[in-house]
Amino acid sequence: MAPRKTSREWNAAEYHRLSAPQFQWGQRVLNQLHLRGDECVLDAGCGTGKLTRLLLENLPRGRVVALDLSRNMVRHAQLNLVPDFDDRSSFVAADLAALPFRNCFDGIFSTASFHWVLDHDGLFRNLYEALRPAGWLHAQCGGGPNLASLRQRVCALSQTAEFLNWLGKFPEPWFFSDAEGAASRLRAAGFEHIETGIEQATFTVPSGQEFQQYLRTFVLHRHLELLPTDALRAAFVQKLADQSARDNPQWALDYWRLNLRAHKSA
Ligand SMILES: C[S@@+](CC[C@H](N)C(=O)[O-])C[C@H]1O[C@@H](n2cnc3c(N)ncnc32)[C@H](O)[C@@H]1O
């Protein structure tokens, strides 16, 4: 059977509730920005807008465009932020693979999003075009051996008789670049002063139940969309939770982050 096309949507309410690790990783990236306070910045893959809020607080005379492919996420971010930042924030539902901006931004900030875009050559070209001269890109996403243990289990489970029909030929919906590959793609897109690096960020989910909810919301929603019944979706995450329950420590997710910094020439 040909693989069914997956949607672009996320469960925004669950993401907002469970995204403490992503928020902490993002805060560290945001704390490294050197902002004047009057810049116009794109938050590329803004999710529910938790970090967009911090960005706006750090830009008291500036503006932020919050962009995401998921309409649920954009709506959630808008509801969160418009009451406090109506005059300095805008919201766009758009694909980073077809970015509708040229020469617009002083900076582009992005966290936990680029690995959902498979073509990083095209992505970096689009980001470069969207920046003004001397504009900066400061981003973090999954990279290197991100979630390698979990992905190996997902792959093996997808090949078992129970799931083969729906997931057997489903290609991974992520691209986890290494640091060298990312640097050379940024260079090819035209960027200068490039710094890239990988860091480990293992995260342990507090309970088996939360581990399953976490997988459903953050990692495997594209896989689960392809399964035809709730029973099969429940069985898929239950089996992965059962495997993790036998690990020491239990419920650990082997996250690795790719950091990206680069500039457009003046
Ligand atoms: C894990 S969330 C990160 C959200 C937020 N930046 C954070 O750190 O909490 C990933 C986000 O990337 C968005 N995304 C995935 N592919 C995208 C694409 N091609 N264009 C724009 N956004 C995309 C998803 O819709 C999702 O909101």
Side-chain angles (χ1 to χ4, degrees):
M1 193 166 75
R4 201 153 52 90
K5 203 172 181 323
T6 54
S7 85
R8 55 182 56 189
E9 279 312 335
W10 287 60
N11 182 335
E14 279 299 88
Y15 184 84
H16 201 70
R17 187 173 76 83
L18 295 168
S19 56
Q22 286 71 15
F23 183 61
Q24 279 166 16
W25 299 334
Q27 268 182 307
R28 284 184 51 208
V29 179
L30 204 134
N31 288 340
Q32 291 162 10
L33 299 179
H34 299 289
L35 296 170
R36 289 187 312 264
D38 62 354
E39 294 93 333
C40 178
V41 176
L42 174 69
D43 185 356
C46 62
T48 59
K50 279 187 193 175
L51 290 154
T52 322
R53 171 176 290 278
L54 295 189
L55 202 50
L56 279 156
E57 286 170 357
N58 280 279
L59 293 165
R61 301 172 308 286
R63 292 190 55 79
V64 175
V65 174
L67 176 144
D68 203 284
L69 183 63
S70 154
R71 288 181 190 277
N72 292 343
M73 290 296 215
V74 173
R75 213 173 299 124
H76 202 108
Q78 202 162 7
L79 283 172
N80 267 341
L81 298 173
V82 163
D84 297 327
F85 303 102
D86 188 22
D87 50 337
R88 299 193 294 112
S89 57
S90 344
F91 301 85
V92 183
D95 192 341
L96 286 166
L99 207 52
F101 298 107
R102 281 181 88 87
N103 267 324
C104 289
F105 301 106
D106 301 304
I108 297 176
F109 169 80
S110 180
T111 53
S113 299
F114 287 172
H115 53 272
W116 290 99
V117 182
L118 298 181
D119 172 14
H120 278 201
D121 290 304
L123 168 67
F124 293 158
R125 276 198 301 273
N126 293 343
L127 298 174
Y128 187 87
E129 287 298 321
L131 284 171
R132 293 177 180 149
W136 48 264
L137 167 68
H138 202 129
Q140 186 186 74
C141 61
N146 194 48
L147 294 175
S149 313
L150 178 73
R151 285 160 57 207
Q152 208 171 16
R153 289 176 175 177
V154 167
C155 222
L157 192 57
S158 300
Q159 298 305 321
T160 58
E162 197 174 0
F163 304 107
L164 183 68
N165 199 19
W166 296 281
L167 295 178
K169 291 189 180 150
F170 181 51
E172 288 196 321
W174 322 281
F175 174 59
F176 298 121
S177 172
D178 59 24
E180 297 73 25
S184 86
R185 279 183 213 98
L186 285 165
R187 205 169 301 114
F191 282 101
E192 297 177 348
H193 310 299
I194 296 163
E195 291 172 48
T196 62
I198 294 275
E199 63 177 295
Q200 192 164 12
T202 301
F203 160 60
T204 302
V205 184
S207 69
Q209 200 186 356
E210 206 161 300
F211 183 82
Q212 291 197 35
Q213 196 49 40
Y214 193 90
L215 292 189
R216 283 178 179 273
T217 307
F218 286 74
V219 190
L220 298 178
H221 45 296
R222 296 281 170 270
H223 290 75
L224 298 178
E225 279 169 9
L226 295 171
L227 296 175
T229 63
D230 283 346
L232 273 175
R233 286 188 275 276
F236 197 75
V237 288
Q238 180 69 57
K239 282 173 196 290
L240 292 166
D242 290 345
Q243 292 179 37
S244 182
R246 294 191 286 274
D247 292 341
N248 185 14
Q250 296 177 308
W251 329 126
L253 291 166
D254 52 333
Y255 275 109
W256 287 78
R257 307 279 90 192
L258 169 65
N259 293 302
L260 308 168
R261 282 195 216 189
H263 284 82
K264 185 166 180 167
S265 58

